[in-house]
Amino acid sequence: MEHQYPGAISGDENMLAELMLPDQAHVRNQDWTIFFLHKDTSEEVEKEPLAKEQNQVTEGEKKRDGEAADTDEEFDTPESTDEEESKKETGAPEETELEGGEGPPLIYVLNLVNTKQDTSAKRGAVVKAMAICTRHSFLHIYKPLLLLALEEYFKSPFPETLALLFDAVNSMDLSLMPRLSTLERHVLQASDTKDLFVEKFERMIQQRLAEESRSNSVSSPDSPTKSTQPTPNSTPNSTPQAPKYTIPRDTHEFESRVVYNQIPIPIKVPTSISPETVGDFSLIKLIQAFSVPHASSPQPFMLHPHLTTNGAYTHPIIVLVNAMLTQKRVIFLGHNRPSGEVAEAVLAACALASGGVLRGFTRHAFPYTDLTKIADLLNVPGFIAGVTNPAFAMHPEWWDVLCDVPTGRVKISNRIEPAPTTEGLMYFQQQNPNYAPNANGIVTGAPSLSTSPDSTGDAAFIDDLLRSIASRHGECVIRSKWRDYITKFTRIAAAFEESVYGASALYIGASEADAGAHGVRGHGYVWPDEMTRLRELGANVCRIEGWRNTRSYYAFIQDLAALWERRPIRALDLAHQHDRLRSLKLSHEDSGAIYLALAASVRSYDEVCQLLTVTPESNAGLFYVSLGLFHPDPRVRAATIELLDRVVGHEAGRHFWGHLGRFTKAAYARAKREAKGSSGFSVGLGLGLAMESPVENGGGWGAGPARLDAMVLGDGGTKGN
């Protein structure tokens, strides 16, 4: 390690230098590496308040003549640069809110290694590495800057080159990036709509223009319209100048730019960051990498209650997720692959197990490491590591699950610790002996199991996921499905704890939800019948018990307590009531009570946001809420209209309304006319719908005579018009 700018980022320079120059870096022209540094900044904060968001850039240089590294290698050390970005000035998302009290925020390191062949060099090639160290988890945005800076460093290997990069990165302006609340972030993350919450960006720009207008009027009181006057060289037909501030094309990203070495570089910063999301990775790529070999030539796993929840042929992705949920030691091996590829797999796996819901994975992840750090690695319980050295595969005592990236195969170690017998498992076996799993974690004695071998629903979920990927659904859709999957797992775990232990720390507010403040009561996950509930609880009992003593379990309890304080609706479990509408065959009285309760409780902006979090687009959106328009009780239809009116007036809700079908919107218009008493159609226990069609010459709706006079939806078992 030769240069760190503006100061040393790590006390162990040799360790940092080794991480910056991964194994076999000399055989590739370019390689990206990501790793994390744990650093206590308490002393730095006392010395310098601005050090809370300190980013650093590190440069390393290494010269080689041969293909293999040896002790005779010459090493020109890295330099580093800090980026001091104030959250108040830049509007960057708060990392501490996502970290949630697990200690000081991690320092995320993005490293670039370049190799240039040089016959004049002692060993025929020159290898240089440069790294940016930052508190921001969206470190992938710095890749273009690193590419240009490292190329410049080859020409001018001096600290001034790093200082130039340091100043450029810290000049990035994020002041027009809006801050989103927790509920707004959840809604945005679960949606693929490009202009969701675009109004917030527009208001930020309007405020900036108003501030600049006031500033100009103060500085130039005699010419308040100076900015609108044409320039001396302009002509009446000249092209108008582009606006100074533009609305982003996709509100999931804030568009800014950094000027480095007089080159403007566009930068896209994520506006909403999920927990455990670091860098730029692809869940689709990870899922396909381990699904294709399993589909073409499935191989049985060694049975383990925590991992093989669907038997010996459990899908490898499910085995991987189960291993991370139950805090097993996981290694991604990429022999003869770039270190950046295994690092990307590690980061994707952390996001996969988190689902944007759980925490505790990235803090114990090592996107890239090597044999020299094996002693430190084995001291970390439940690590997730990426390696390229095949020697790891020969030591099954080092890991519990090995994911071979080139072959797409997952292996369970024969040295893995057996699952202990817990009190929860014994209690469940005593209460429900027909549904309890055997020693291998498989439910075999449940009734009707032969007709439904997929008790956990994991096989059906993976099939649906692969169909979505084959249909070219985007990364956002896949991440939303995984969020639903992990959320379902946590809700089933809460139901299991309540069933076995009588109460659960995974659900806060059970007494409020069961009090029936709005005429409905109930909380938690919803099953269609008791047999299905017991079968699914029995199929999940082993991995639930394996999860209950992990870091992510206790962190999730802390997060639930924090979210409860910000939850606008507490007297009603919106997810539970929405699941009842979706999953159960309810009577008119029961369904009507739910619609009336929703209309009574969802009124403010934040309350609508909370409703939208339980009705994501991937889960049919507002479809089941809109079915209240077809209820035979006029009071319920009127309440549903009021609820939908509030949703339509919401910044995000209007997009959810736009995704509903034309038939639902016609029912809304018809019910609204009915509520005003000007319908003119007969109304009975059945619902009559009238739709007008456009005229033949292309007029709009209602421009000509109706071709579809009426549609009548009769209610089975009742007599209506």
Side-chain angles (χ1 to χ4, degrees):
M1 183 65 61
E2 193 172 69
H3 303 292
Q4 297 188 59
Y5 185 88
I9 188 64
S10 173
D12 190 349
E13 295 185 350
N14 291 332
M15 180 272 298
L16 182 58
E18 290 174 357
L19 289 172
M20 290 179 62
L21 294 156
D23 294 337
Q24 303 297 310
H26 61 282
V27 302
R28 303 178 186 89
N29 293 330
Q30 185 182 101
D31 196 4
W32 293 94
T33 307
I34 294 177
F35 54 91
F36 307 149
L37 298 177
H38 299 254
K39 186 178 181 182
D40 187 0
T41 58
S42 57
E43 295 182 0
E44 295 180 7
V45 172
E46 294 177 359
K47 296 179 181 178
E48 185 178 1
L50 291 179
K52 290 182 180 179
E53 288 203 13
Q54 193 174 22
N55 294 354
Q56 293 202 353
V57 174
T58 308
E59 272 195 25
E61 177 183 25
K62 190 173 186 180
K63 297 182 179 178
R64 302 177 185 262
D65 316 29
E67 296 181 357
D70 56 33
T71 56
D72 296 327
E73 293 170 334
E74 298 179 4
F75 185 58
D76 293 333
T77 56
E79 302 180 39
S80 87
T81 42
D82 277 352
E83 305 169 10
E84 298 170 0
E85 300 182 53
S86 171
K87 290 178 181 175
K88 294 182 180 180
E89 296 177 359
T90 63
E94 292 194 19
E95 303 291 339
T96 55
E97 184 178 351
L98 301 178
E99 296 279 352
E102 290 186 356
L106 292 176
I107 298 178
Y108 305 101
V109 183
L110 176 67
N111 181 65
L112 173 62
V113 186
N114 272 2
T115 301
K116 291 186 180 297
Q117 304 299 324
D118 187 357
T119 57
S120 62
K122 181 179 179 181
R123 297 174 63 184
V126 176
V127 180
K128 296 179 184 290
M130 178 184 292
I132 289 182
C133 310
T134 175
R135 300 288 188 187
H136 295 154
S137 61
F138 46 86
L139 72 172
H140 60 279
I141 66 173
Y142 301 118
K143 282 187 175 182
L145 288 163
L146 269 181
L147 286 169
L148 293 175
L150 186 53
E151 190 65 28
E152 182 68 21
Y153 189 75
F154 270 98
K155 303 174 184 177
S156 178
F158 303 108
E160 290 76 15
T161 304
L162 295 178
L164 182 64
L165 175 61
F166 170 77
D167 294 335
V169 171
N170 285 283
S171 68
M172 182 170 56
D173 182 16
L174 300 179
S175 59
L176 292 178
M177 180 175 172
R179 285 180 176 269
L180 301 179
S181 67
T182 302
L183 294 173
E184 289 171 338
R185 288 201 306 269
H186 289 175
V187 173
L188 183 61
Q189 291 164 5
S191 174
D192 205 19
T193 304
K194 301 297 183 183
D195 57 345
L196 200 64
F197 294 116
V198 69
E199 296 85 355
K200 294 185 177 294
F201 292 85
E202 292 173 347
R203 285 196 293 269
M204 297 289 289
I205 293 177
Q206 292 171 359
Q207 293 174 5
R208 174 63 60 84
L209 293 176
E211 293 173 359
E212 292 181 351
S213 178
R214 289 193 298 267
S215 177
N216 291 337
S217 63
V218 171
S219 59
S220 304
D222 296 334
S223 56
T225 59
K226 180 178 179 180
S227 59
T228 61
Q229 296 177 353
T231 60
N233 297 329
S234 64
T235 62
N237 297 328
S238 61
T239 304
Q241 294 182 353
K244 185 176 181 181
Y245 307 110
T246 59
I247 304 296
R249 290 165 291 183
D250 185 355
T251 53
H252 293 79
E253 298 173 328
F254 176 78
E255 299 178 3
S256 183
R257 69 171 188 171
V258 172
V259 179
Y260 172 74
N261 206 12
Q262 300 181 349
I263 302 175
I265 302 172
I267 299 292
K268 293 183 178 180
V269 181
T271 54
S272 179
I273 304 173
S274 301
E276 309 296 299
T277 300
V278 179
D280 189 19
F281 53 84
S282 172
L283 293 188
I284 294 177
K285 182 179 178 181
L286 178 70
I287 294 170
Q288 287 179 323
F290 293 98
S291 296
V292 173
H294 178 76
S296 59
S297 178
Q299 297 180 0
F301 287 103
M302 182 187 74
L303 293 177
H304 190 281
H306 290 172
L307 307 180
T308 54
T309 48
N310 279 60
Y313 289 93
T314 302
H315 196 278
I317 291 295
I318 297 298
V319 172
L320 170 62
V321 172
N322 288 341
M324 298 184 66
L325 288 176
T326 55
Q327 201 167 297
K328 300 295 186 290
R329 300 171 298 174
V330 179
I331 281 185
F332 284 85
L333 173 61
H335 182 45
N336 290 332
R337 294 295 181 92
S339 58
E341 187 172 335
V342 295
E344 181 181 346
V346 170
L347 298 177
C350 291
L352 199 70
S354 166
V357 177
L358 303 178
R359 290 186 294 108
F361 303 107
T362 55
R363 181 164 286 272
H364 300 86
F366 302 82
Y368 172 76
T369 189
D370 54 39
L371 278 175
T372 63
K373 302 166 189 63
I374 185 61
D376 296 333
L377 185 66
L378 296 180
N379 289 329
V380 178
F383 61 79
I384 310 102
V387 299
T388 57
N389 196 317
F392 282 88
M394 304 175 187
H395 292 273
E397 69 276 9
W398 290 352
W399 44 267
D400 298 320
V401 174
L402 178 70
C403 303
D404 195 315
V405 176
T407 63
R409 295 293 185 180
V410 175
K411 183 179 180 181
I412 299 177
S413 172
N414 54 14
R415 305 283 293 275
I416 188 173
E417 292 185 4
T421 302
T422 60
E423 292 184 356
L425 176 59
M426 291 189 296
Y427 290 158
F428 188 84
Q429 289 174 339
Q430 295 171 2
Q431 297 171 3
N432 309 283
N434 291 333
Y435 296 90
N438 58 23
N440 293 322
I442 308 300
V443 180
T444 57
S448 304
L449 188 62
S450 58
T451 60
S452 179
D454 183 24
S455 302
T456 60
D458 292 342
F461 170 73
I462 290 294
D463 290 342
D464 175 68
L465 207 65
L466 294 177
R467 282 194 299 270
S468 296
I469 294 175
S471 301
R472 299 186 180 276
H473 293 174
E475 180 78 11
C476 183
V477 174
I478 303 303
R479 296 192 185 192
S480 179
K481 288 180 179 291
W482 269 107
R483 182 184 185 90
D484 294 342
Y485 176 82
I486 297 298
T487 300
K488 175 185 175 181
F489 170 75
T490 59
R491 296 178 69 194
I492 291 177
F496 169 79
E497 290 185 341
E498 288 184 338
S499 174
V500 173
Y501 300 104
S504 174
L506 299 177
Y507 190 91
I508 301 177
S511 58
E512 290 86 346
D514 293 339
H518 295 285
V520 294
R521 61 185 73 240
H523 68 278
Y525 193 73
V526 176
W527 283 274
D529 52 63
E530 182 66 12
M531 181 181 295
T532 304
R533 184 184 78 90
L534 292 176
R535 186 170 62 242
E536 193 158 6
L537 287 178
N540 286 277
V541 60
C542 290
R543 62 176 166 185
I544 290 174
E545 284 294 294
W547 177 56
R548 290 185 68 249
N549 292 317
T550 64
R551 295 182 297 261
S552 62
Y553 174 83
Y554 293 111
F556 183 59
I557 293 176
Q558 296 177 4
D559 292 343
L560 288 177
L563 290 174
W564 175 255
E565 298 298 326
R566 308 176 188 176
R567 189 174 177 179
I569 302 176
R570 300 186 181 184
L572 190 67
D573 186 343
L574 294 182
H576 176 81
Q577 302 303 334
H578 183 265
D579 286 352
R580 291 181 64 201
L581 292 174
R582 185 183 63 175
S583 306
L584 303 181
K585 295 181 180 179
L586 302 174
S587 65
H588 292 317
E589 291 76 12
D590 291 339
S591 62
I594 294 176
Y595 288 117
L596 292 174
L598 291 177
S601 59
V602 180
R603 295 184 175 276
S604 67
Y605 178 90
D606 289 337
E607 290 169 347
V608 174
C609 280
Q610 185 175 342
L611 174 64
L612 297 180
T613 60
V614 301
T615 59
E617 298 168 10
S618 61
N619 199 11
L622 294 172
F623 174 76
Y624 295 100
V625 174
S626 67
L627 290 182
L629 297 170
F630 302 96
H631 199 278
D633 189 342
R635 295 185 306 112
V636 175
R637 296 199 294 272
T640 305
I641 291 174
E642 294 179 4
L643 175 61
L644 291 177
D645 283 341
R646 299 184 196 118
V647 173
V648 172
H650 190 272
E651 292 179 354
R654 64 183 182 90
H655 297 281
F656 283 67
W657 167 256
H659 292 153
L660 290 175
R662 183 175 296 178
F663 184 76
T664 301
K665 294 178 181 178
Y668 169 81
R670 189 257 176 247
K672 201 161 190 178
R673 289 197 300 268
E674 172 196 311
K676 293 180 180 179
S678 60
S679 173
F681 302 98
S682 60
V683 180
L685 293 178
L687 175 61
L689 290 181
M691 297 179 62
E692 294 179 334
S693 63
V695 295
E696 293 181 359
N697 60 8
W701 287 95
R707 294 184 182 177
L708 177 60
D709 294 331
M711 299 179 64
V712 178
L713 300 182
D715 188 0
T718 61
K719 294 181 180 180
N721 295 323

